[in-house]
Amino acid sequence: MSNIPHHESGKLAILHTSDIHGTVLPYRYADQMPIEAGIAKISTAIKQLRRQYEETIYVDNGDLLQGTPLTYYHARMKSSLPNPLIACMNLLQPDAAVVGNHEFNYGITYLRQAMKESKFPWLSANLLDETNGEPIFGVPYMIKELSAGLKVGVLGLTTSYIPNWELPQHIVGIDFECVVRAAQRWVKVLREEEHVDLVVVSYHGGLERDMNSGELTEPDTGENEGYKLAAEVQGIDILLTGHQHRVIVNERIQGVVIAQPGSHGQGVGCIEVQMERVDEKWIVRAVCSKWIEVAGMTPDKHIIDQVAPIEAEVQVWLDQSIGQVEGDMTVTDAGQVRLSDHPLIEFINRVQMEYGQTTISNTALFDDTAPGFVGRITMRQVLANYIYANTLKVIRVTGQDIWDALEQTASYFDCTEQGSEHIRINEAYLYPKPQHYNYDMWEGIEYEIDISRAVGERITKLLVSSSGQQIDVHGTYDVAMNHYRAAGGGNYAMFANKLTVLDVPTDIAELIADYIMQRGTIYSTLNHNWRVVT
């Protein structure tokens, strides 16, 4: 916008990424096959966009620091070294980053060190210090003054639902304020005190309602409040969203421009804003958003070189043999794994029961790319099968809670016709992002899911494996599960606020590796304790 007369219009571009989840290099760690994603390709895209537009603002919208073996290796084994994700982002030179929910997975000390190494501010206006009510990370917003005096304010917000997922020791001293209430306060500051000309809200959270109809698309828990932000907070021009891993362009809610840039560095969101100065005031004339896919782009060599030393260590570590499996735990069809008992799921549940010192457990096949185990086992395979930094909890629940949880799990299926060939996944588990991780499979009980029946009435058999007796709905049972589920995450409200019998503050992936290393050989077993029927 340099040298633009006051009566003329100018253009700026707001670039945004979100939910990169530790993805730097363009290949999968599980099998080293190439992927069209990652910061190395994002860097190339952003350089091109900065050449295209004279004025740009780049914001990363959160969930940066966790998600790959690289991030796991650094956090758990080499945290004294500079954070590789921060080093890469420093090369990209964002104007700001927003704190996402997964930023807390390795603890607040780890997060604060990452922030200390960052050459850009981390924003989160609604994460407050319990002692004084002020933003705990100190920076609720940032302002960038562009040519001709145009001032753009960027307010950062983080989903307030984090206490329902995260380990309590990782969020000690933080008050998670409602994002709408925080936005109402800080947007007013940006408008009336900072006198910005354009207000951008970057919210690590998604949309809880259909953008056109306004109908709820998920339970109104407070996890995603993007629609509410746009509809209820005056003064927002552009709302950047995330968390749901969606690509959203050219959408509006009550005049507010809505965008979301996908996940894992598969592309960059670009919002082109046409401004005009009229009577000494800048006004928005036009806004157009697009998504720049990185497929086919050449990875930035500077990014590759930046992580090369620690990446070499990661690859050696991943390929270390930790044991072997006798039999076959291979996942050949993820859909079939969710229809009847599978050796991999039975094994993970056995590990959880061992370390949880209990006889009932549940887990999920988190992702359709999980390979399972066969022959020699490496850390690469462990982390490919258990991709999240979950820890283990044992909580005490009632038989009714178990029944209700199984009915919730059974809602994963949509079956409109008789016969297994017609089994489909409920669209609620696919849109706005895949949620296979919210379909649980259990060990220590025997059960049957009949998906020809109505949702909420699908559990036709439920016994305790050890006794063969019917589950007592009024009785209590100790169940091992990951901490996300134990907090009620994934719409399992029946588990929230239950008595914690045992808290094992170790990543379940580490427990799996430890279990294998202690034994040297593990065995593929299958007791067929559950199935899905039509």
Side-chain angles (χ1 to χ4, degrees):
M1 265 188 217
S2 301
N3 303 317
I4 296 175
H6 287 182
H7 65 275
E8 292 186 8
S9 61
K11 223 165 31 175
L12 69 132
I14 298 166
L15 314 179
H16 58 118
T17 51
S18 191
D19 299 274
I20 287 174
H21 286 290
T23 309
V24 176
L25 301 172
Y27 57 76
R28 288 197 305 248
Y29 281 92
D31 54 14
Q32 296 185 294
M33 293 296 291
I35 57 173
E36 297 291 355
I39 292 176
K41 290 196 172 215
I42 286 290
S43 179
T44 300
I46 286 176
K47 285 180 178 179
Q48 291 177 2
L49 288 163
R50 282 173 169 156
R51 287 193 294 269
Q52 181 179 345
Y53 294 95
E54 189 174 347
E55 303 274 25
T56 62
I57 295 174
Y58 168 38
V59 181
D60 181 75
N61 194 45
D63 278 6
L64 171 70
L65 299 177
Q66 177 276 339
T68 59
L70 171 63
T71 61
Y72 182 93
Y73 181 80
H74 178 264
R76 296 303 187 211
M77 299 181 186
K78 292 295 179 73
S79 60
S80 61
L81 295 178
N83 190 304
L85 271 296
I86 298 302
C88 289
M89 292 303 287
N90 284 339
L91 291 176
L92 266 63
Q93 298 181 313
D95 292 281
V98 174
V99 179
N101 54 292
H102 282 286
E103 259 67 76
F104 292 96
N105 285 175
Y106 298 127
I108 198 165
T109 301
Y110 186 82
L111 173 55
R112 285 194 180 279
Q113 180 59 32
M115 290 178 170
K116 184 178 179 181
E117 295 173 19
S118 301
K119 295 179 181 178
F120 49 89
W122 285 78
L123 314 179
S124 195
N126 68 307
L127 302 187
L128 308 181
D129 189 323
E130 286 183 345
T131 61
N132 58 24
E134 296 296 319
I136 196 164
F137 298 117
V139 189
Y141 61 81
M142 58 83 62
I143 294 173
K144 187 167 184 179
E145 190 164 338
L146 306 178
S147 300
L150 173 63
K151 291 175 69 176
V152 179
V154 180
L155 176 68
L157 297 169
T158 304
T159 175
S160 59
Y161 203 63
I162 290 173
N164 294 279
W165 306 311
E166 193 52 72
L167 294 172
Q169 61 266 35
H170 288 176
I171 54 175
V172 171
I174 303 177
D175 177 24
F176 292 82
E177 183 183 21
C178 164
V179 293
V180 174
R181 186 161 58 246
Q184 288 169 335
R185 178 169 72 257
W186 290 106
V187 169
K188 188 175 181 180
V189 169
L190 286 170
R191 288 291 188 189
E192 298 181 6
E193 297 180 26
E194 299 286 4
H195 304 291
V196 301
D197 303 295
L198 186 74
V199 171
V200 179
V201 171
S202 188
Y203 167 49
H204 189 83
L207 297 157
E208 75 282 24
R209 294 178 180 271
D210 181 272
M211 286 177 283
N212 296 314
S213 69
E215 294 294 318
L216 276 171
T217 55
E218 60 182 50
D220 190 11
T221 61
E223 176 180 354
N224 298 300
E225 296 187 289
Y227 190 97
K228 192 179 292 186
L229 278 169
E232 297 183 12
V233 181
Q234 296 297 311
I236 300 174
D237 294 303
I238 296 169
L239 177 61
L240 309 180
T241 62
H243 187 57
Q244 293 174 319
H245 298 191
R246 301 167 67 178
V247 174
I248 297 174
V249 295
N250 287 325
E251 294 285 355
R252 290 177 184 259
I253 296 173
Q254 298 190 17
V256 178
V257 175
I258 310 295
Q260 193 169 141
S263 67
H264 297 88
Q266 294 175 317
V268 180
C270 178
I271 303 175
E272 188 178 289
V273 186
Q274 194 84 19
M275 304 285 290
E276 185 175 359
R277 194 165 186 172
V278 178
D279 296 329
E280 302 301 314
K281 181 179 180 181
W282 285 99
I283 60 174
V284 179
R285 281 303 185 200
V287 180
C288 178
S289 64
K290 55 187 175 181
W291 186 64
I292 312 301
E293 195 171 6
V294 303
M297 292 188 180
T298 302
D300 186 338
K301 187 176 183 299
H302 294 97
I303 298 294
I304 295 172
D305 291 345
Q306 179 65 58
V307 298
I310 192 170
E311 178 66 17
E313 292 185 33
V314 171
Q315 293 298 332
V316 170
W317 171 68
L318 285 173
D319 287 329
Q320 291 176 355
S321 178
I322 61 172
Q324 62 181 357
V325 59
E326 186 171 302
D328 190 353
M329 292 187 188
T330 305
V331 175
T332 55
D333 185 333
Q336 287 299 314
V337 172
R338 301 184 181 102
L339 293 178
S340 62
D341 197 16
H342 186 276
L344 176 68
I345 301 303
E346 189 167 302
F347 167 70
I348 294 172
N349 274 319
R350 284 209 313 270
V351 172
Q352 293 188 169
M353 290 189 291
E354 171 81 12
Y355 289 94
Q357 302 169 39
T358 188
T359 59
I360 302 177
S361 172
N362 67 49
T363 190
L365 186 69
F366 297 118
D367 188 275
D368 283 354
T369 61
F373 297 127
V374 63
R376 174 175 166 268
I377 301 174
T378 64
M379 278 302 301
R380 187 185 301 278
Q381 292 172 320
V382 171
L383 293 172
N385 284 298
Y386 207 101
I387 61 176
Y388 292 117
N390 292 329
T391 60
L392 183 64
K393 276 199 170 188
V394 177
I395 60 173
R396 184 160 293 162
V397 302
T398 66
Q400 186 64 57
D401 293 329
I402 294 175
W403 201 292
D404 292 342
L406 287 169
E407 289 289 3
Q408 173 63 32
T409 277
S411 69
Y412 176 83
F413 297 106
D414 180 17
C415 184
T416 56
E417 300 179 61
Q418 294 293 314
S420 60
E421 69 273 15
H422 299 293
I423 294 175
R424 298 181 304 191
I425 300 172
N426 185 338
E427 286 192 1
Y429 286 82
L430 298 173
Y431 179 85
K433 70 175 181 180
Q435 296 180 46
H436 305 301
Y437 51 82
N438 283 330
Y439 176 77
D440 288 339
M441 292 161 279
W442 292 63
E443 193 66 30
I445 58 175
E446 297 178 16
Y447 63 96
E448 190 170 273
I449 299 173
D450 185 348
I451 58 174
S452 68
R453 298 165 66 99
V455 172
E457 301 175 1
R458 289 178 164 180
I459 306 306
T460 56
K461 172 186 176 182
L462 183 51
L463 309 176
V464 179
S465 296
S466 59
S467 67
Q469 299 297 309
Q470 179 84 13
I471 284 274
D472 178 0
V473 294
H474 302 294
T476 58
Y477 303 87
D478 293 349
V479 182
M481 62 186 75
N482 68 62
H483 77 272
Y484 170 81
R485 186 69 79 240
N491 300 322
Y492 287 82
M494 71 290 298
F495 293 149
N497 303 312
K498 295 297 184 181
L499 174 69
T500 298
V501 177
L502 183 64
D503 186 352
V504 182
T506 303
D507 285 8
I508 293 174
E510 286 186 55
L511 298 180
I512 292 170
D514 184 69
Y515 185 97
I516 295 168
M517 287 187 286
Q518 282 189 25
R519 288 157 178 79
T521 300
I522 60 171
Y523 299 90
S524 176
T525 63
L526 201 56
N527 59 17
H528 301 288
N529 65 303
W530 67 272
R531 64 175 182 161
V532 175
V533 300
T534 58

